[in-house]
Amino acid sequence: MRFPRFIDAVSRRSGLPPEQAATIARAVLQTMAERVTGRPADDLAGRLPDELDGYLSGPGADAGPTPAGPGEFLRRVGERAGVDEVTAQVGTGAVFATLREAVTVAEFREMVARLPMSADGAVEPLPPSYDG
């Protein structure tokens, strides 16, 4: 998936302008890179548009997972993107939904499985449910 198409999809899903959607997409991927456990995120990064894949395999990915719950994830996304918590939450959901389109079902499940779980065993932020 090309960068403009990825960002257009995030923008459409979130209702945010494309520039803000791009900023939030970068923030989500950087925050994911800090939180992914197990193998490096390079396999997913290879499926992203060239303009985004470096954020998932960048410096944060080498430091190992950062302990943080769902609220901290959204706080970091909001801080990185310069947006409030509600916008961070809407944008994050749109990025996860768009990632789901950009990779195979197995790759998406693996990526989500490598994110730390909340106390009740749920991955947060929860990706949207899909039909089919």
Side-chain angles (χ1 to χ4, degrees):
M1 181 179 279
R2 294 277 194 222
F3 183 72
R5 185 169 171 222
F6 185 91
I7 297 305
D8 285 346
V10 172
S11 177
R12 184 177 17 83
R13 284 187 169 100
S14 64
L16 299 170
E19 299 79 23
Q20 193 172 35
T23 300
I24 289 175
R26 289 179 184 107
V28 168
L29 294 173
Q30 287 174 331
T31 306
M32 282 177 60
E34 293 174 348
R35 296 193 59 194
V36 168
T37 59
R39 294 190 334 241
D42 292 341
D43 51 346
L44 177 63
R47 303 263 186 209
L48 297 175
D50 291 340
E51 295 89 341
L52 290 175
D53 66 4
Y55 290 100
L56 199 55
S57 59
D62 297 333
T66 302
E72 180 64 11
F73 185 96
L74 291 175
R75 186 196 66 75
R76 288 181 186 181
V77 169
E79 186 177 281
R80 280 190 167 114
V83 298
D84 61 50
E85 186 177 335
V86 172
T87 304
Q89 186 172 8
V90 168
T92 298
V95 170
F96 271 84
T98 305
L99 282 172
R100 175 55 203 94
E101 280 186 352
V103 298
T104 67
V105 171
E107 289 167 332
F108 184 78
R109 285 183 180 160
E110 180 182 337
M111 174 197 66
V112 171
R114 290 170 38 204
L115 290 171
M117 304 289 177
S118 65
D120 65 358
V123 173
E124 292 287 346
L126 289 172
S129 60
Y130 301 99
D131 300 296

